[in-house]
């Protein structure tokens, strides 16, 4: 960091007023490059993920693990020297998972590996037993005649496609989110879906589902991929397949958790800031290392590297560990509402919530005259194997509410080829985090954060 110290000593000399045309000078691009190189040698992000998964572990919203994670987050940010650390309350309904068991009763008795989907109701005491009816996709279920699943357990067998950008998730996940409602409309007593994932391991993927007012609430579970294959093979034999489900799950009371926020204060415009986001909660099956412990480690480490500089950049860098993303972007919605009167202070935002695979592309959502700054940013990231993509960034799940107000966002696209092998499973654990890839992510985020915090001008507001 010696070269950084020499360069950043001149950081504030000759700082100009807010520029009409966004720009970043060569001196600060050089500092960004040095921060990038320092990130590749740092282990802070990796250590943060190890700490979270070891000292807290599973942290489903509304559980003791959630409360422990909030305390951990505050302590970690204070330990790493953030200038300001605070929490903001987030209240939501809770859900409790209990025992979950499934088995084929006839004609080929075998156990099945399942997990209940988030906010599913349980089965009646003693379980329920019914014949299954198979559908290729959710669309096929929707288009089936009325009563097509009367008294039966719906089985949706659609497979998620593996893709570097995770694009197979959207088409597949609708079965998880909407399947129970559509199955109930056709008279079903329960629904089983093939897990929304790309692995072939005998473990099921959980995730959020939704009920609809006025539609009967039926139990909803996911099958491991091999067990979904097994059911398909049984169905092909042309005999009725009877399955018993025994699921103990129920709604809990309302609970108040917190968004945990840490800030590296800017030197000239501390009330303007860039957001580095991730979510602190996880599902309960694994330790949430990839989803989203990695994002916590990446964003915290990027801000901490900038805090080491002898001179702060002009604007503040705000790291937000959002509460309860998994059950409906709850923390993101609360933050947007709480800060809606100051949204013009947010220069831009980016969220890391796609595991720890290497970043390969930078996308933006900025006003047109700011594109040259983005291109310079991408140039600094080029040695990391990152290129500029387009100006249609989404920003990340927790930023959807803020994006709806028109703030600028960036997407630092990670390689998600194997992300959905582990997503929402017991196998989402620390050993799946590759340190080299995590450091590369931190290097990209530190370049992004520093350039935004130091640039002249802005990226625009009220963007569509």
């Amino acid at each position: 960091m010696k070269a950084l110290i020499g360069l950043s000593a001149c950081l504030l000399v000759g700082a100009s007023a807010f520029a009409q045309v966004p720009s970043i000078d060569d001196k600060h691009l050089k500092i960004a490059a040095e921060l990038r190189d320092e990130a590749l040698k740092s282990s802070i992000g990796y250590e943060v993920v190890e700490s979270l998964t070891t000292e807290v572990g599973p942290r489903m919203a509304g559980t003791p693990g959630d409360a422990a994670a909030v305390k951990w987050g505050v302590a970690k940010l204070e330990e790493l020297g953030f200038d300001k650390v605070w929490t903001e309350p987030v209240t939501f309904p809770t859900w409790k998972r209990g025992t979950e068991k499934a088995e084929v009763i006839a004609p080929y008795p075998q156990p099945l590996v399942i997990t209940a989907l988030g906010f599913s109701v349980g089965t009646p005491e003693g379980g329920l037993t019914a014949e299954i009816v198979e559908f290729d996709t959710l669309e096929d279920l929707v288009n089936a005649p009325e009563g097509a699943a009367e008294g039966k357990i719906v089985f949706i067998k659609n497979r998620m496609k593996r893709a570097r950008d995770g694009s197979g998730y959207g088409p597949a996940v609708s079965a998880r989110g909407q399947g129970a409602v559509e199955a109930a409309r056709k008279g079903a007593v329960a629904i089983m879906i093939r897990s929304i994932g790309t692995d072939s391991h005998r473990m099921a993927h959980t995730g959020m589902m939704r009920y609809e007012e006025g539609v009967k609430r039926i139990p909803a579970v996911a099958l491991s991929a091999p067990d979904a294959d097994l059911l398909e093979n049984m169905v092909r034999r042309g005999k009725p397949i009877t399955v018993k489900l025994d699921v103990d799950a129920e709604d809990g009371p309302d609970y108040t958790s917190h968004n945990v926020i840490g800030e590296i204060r800017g030197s000239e415009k501390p009330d303007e800031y860039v957001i580095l986001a991730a979510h602190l909660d996880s599902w309960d099956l694994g330790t949430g290392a990839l989803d989203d412990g990695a994002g916590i480690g990446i964003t915290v480490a990027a801000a901490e590297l900038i805090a080491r500089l002898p001179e702060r950049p002009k604007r503040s860098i705000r790291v937000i560990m959002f509460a309860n993303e998994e059950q409906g972007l709850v923390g993101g919605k609360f933050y947007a509402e709480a800060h809606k009167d100051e949204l013009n202070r947010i220069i831009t935002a980016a969220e890391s919530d796609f595991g720890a695979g290497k970043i390969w592309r930078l996308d933006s959502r900025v006003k047109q005259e700011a594109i040259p700054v983005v291109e310079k940013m991408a140039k600094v990231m080029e040695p990391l194997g990152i290129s500029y993509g387009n100006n249609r960034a989404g920003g990340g799940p927790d930023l959807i509410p803020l994006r709806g107000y028109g703030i600028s966002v960036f997407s630092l696209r990670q390689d998600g080829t194997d992300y959905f092998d582990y997503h929402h499973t017991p196998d989402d654990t620390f050993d799946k985090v590759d340190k080299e890839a995590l450091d590369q992510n931190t290097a990209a985020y530190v370049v992004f954060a520093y350039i935004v915090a130091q640039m002249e001008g802005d990226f625009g507001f009220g963007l569509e």
Side-chain angles (χ1 to χ4, degrees), residues 26 70 84 101 104 114 127 152 218 265 334 378 384 419 452:
D26 290 343
V70 170
K84 184 181 178 184
K101 183 180 178 183
V104 177
I114 63 161
K152 297 182 179 179
I218 61 173
R265 296 286 284 171
F334 268 73
L384 301 171
Y419 177 66
V452 175

Side-chain angles (χ1 to χ4, degrees), residues 230-296:
L230 180 65
L231 274 189
E232 286 188 54
N233 291 339
M234 290 181 178
V235 169
R236 257 201 317 271
R237 281 159 168 73
K239 298 180 180 179
I241 309 298
T242 302
V243 168
K244 180 179 180 181
L245 283 178
D246 194 351
V247 175
D248 180 19
E250 61 182 359
D251 293 342
D254 283 0
Y255 178 85
T256 298
S257 185
H258 295 82
N259 289 332
V260 178
I261 305 168
E263 193 167 85
I264 305 300
R265 296 286 284 171
S267 56
E268 289 186 16
K269 302 175 180 181
D271 290 336
E272 294 180 8
Y273 58 96
V274 52
I275 291 175
L276 303 185
H279 67 86
L280 189 54
D281 66 308
S282 76
W283 282 105
D284 52 326
L285 302 183
T287 59
L290 296 174
D291 188 16
D292 188 24
I296 296 291

Side-chain angles (χ1 to χ4, degrees), residues 157-180:
K157 65 177 185 179
N158 66 310
R159 285 169 165 74
M160 180 181 166
K161 293 181 179 179
R162 188 182 297 275
R164 185 186 194 187
D165 63 357
S167 56
Y169 186 63
V173 78
S174 58
R176 190 186 76 201
Q178 303 165 233

Side-chain angles (χ1 to χ4, degrees), residues 94-349:
T94 59
W95 175 76
K96 297 179 181 180
R97 183 190 305 280
T99 58
E100 39 197 29
K101 183 180 178 183
E103 57 184 322
V104 177
I105 300 298
Y108 315 109
Q110 292 197 46
L112 300 171
V113 174
I114 63 161
T115 192
L117 299 178
F119 278 81
S120 171
V121 296
T123 57
E125 187 172 349
L128 65 83
T129 301
E131 185 180 324
I132 68 168
V133 55
E134 181 185 80
F135 294 91
D136 288 346
T137 65
L138 175 68
E139 185 179 13
D140 290 333
L141 172 63
V142 171
N143 293 331
E146 292 300 316
E150 191 67 40
K152 297 182 179 179
I153 299 172
V154 162
F155 166 46
I156 299 179
K157 65 177 185 179
N158 66 310
R159 285 169 165 74
M160 180 181 166
K161 293 181 179 179
R162 188 182 297 275
R164 185 186 194 187
D165 63 357
S167 56
Y169 186 63
V173 78
S174 58
R176 190 186 76 201
Q178 303 165 233
V181 169
E182 298 302 334
R185 284 180 172 146
K186 304 300 182 183
V189 294
I191 182 171
M192 299 189 298
I193 65 166
R194 183 188 183 94
S195 281
I196 309 303
T198 50
D199 64 301
S200 59
H201 300 129
R202 201 173 192 190
M203 58 184 183
H205 298 234
T206 192
M208 194 64 181
M209 52 80 63
R210 298 288 183 189
Y211 292 115
E212 193 172 299
E213 193 71 31
V215 180
K216 183 181 177 181
R217 289 157 48 112
I218 61 173
V221 305
L223 284 157
S224 78
D227 288 280
D229 292 343
L230 180 65
L231 274 189
E232 286 188 54
N233 291 339
M234 290 181 178
V235 169
R236 257 201 317 271
R237 281 159 168 73
K239 298 180 180 179
I241 309 298
T242 302
V243 168
K244 180 179 180 181
L245 283 178
D246 194 351
V247 175
D248 180 19
E250 61 182 359
D251 293 342
D254 283 0
Y255 178 85
T256 298
S257 185
H258 295 82
N259 289 332
V260 178
I261 305 168
E263 193 167 85
I264 305 300
R265 296 286 284 171
S267 56
E268 289 186 16
K269 302 175 180 181
D271 290 336
E272 294 180 8
Y273 58 96
V274 52
I275 291 175
L276 303 185
H279 67 86
L280 189 54
D281 66 308
S282 76
W283 282 105
D284 52 326
L285 302 183
T287 59
L290 296 174
D291 188 16
D292 188 24
I296 296 291
I298 290 161
T299 54
V300 168
E304 191 271 343
L305 280 165
I306 294 171
R308 296 184 199 177
L309 292 170
E311 299 286 351
R312 295 283 193 260
K314 294 174 183 177
R315 299 184 181 90
S316 296
I317 296 164
R318 185 173 291 186
V319 172
I320 306 177
M321 303 180 184
F322 282 109
N324 199 0
E325 182 270 348
E326 295 292 3
Q327 297 173 6
L329 316 180
V330 186
K333 292 173 182 175
F334 268 73
Y335 186 88
E337 177 63 25
H339 296 266
K340 64 182 179 182
D341 294 332
E342 57 180 65
L343 295 177
N344 60 339
R345 298 181 189 172
I346 302 172
I347 302 303
T348 194

Side-chain angles (χ1 to χ4, degrees), residues 446-460:
V446 77
V447 168
F448 162 74
Y450 180 76
I451 289 176
V452 175
Q454 189 56 51
M455 64 181 275
E456 299 291 343
D458 67 279
F459 283 135

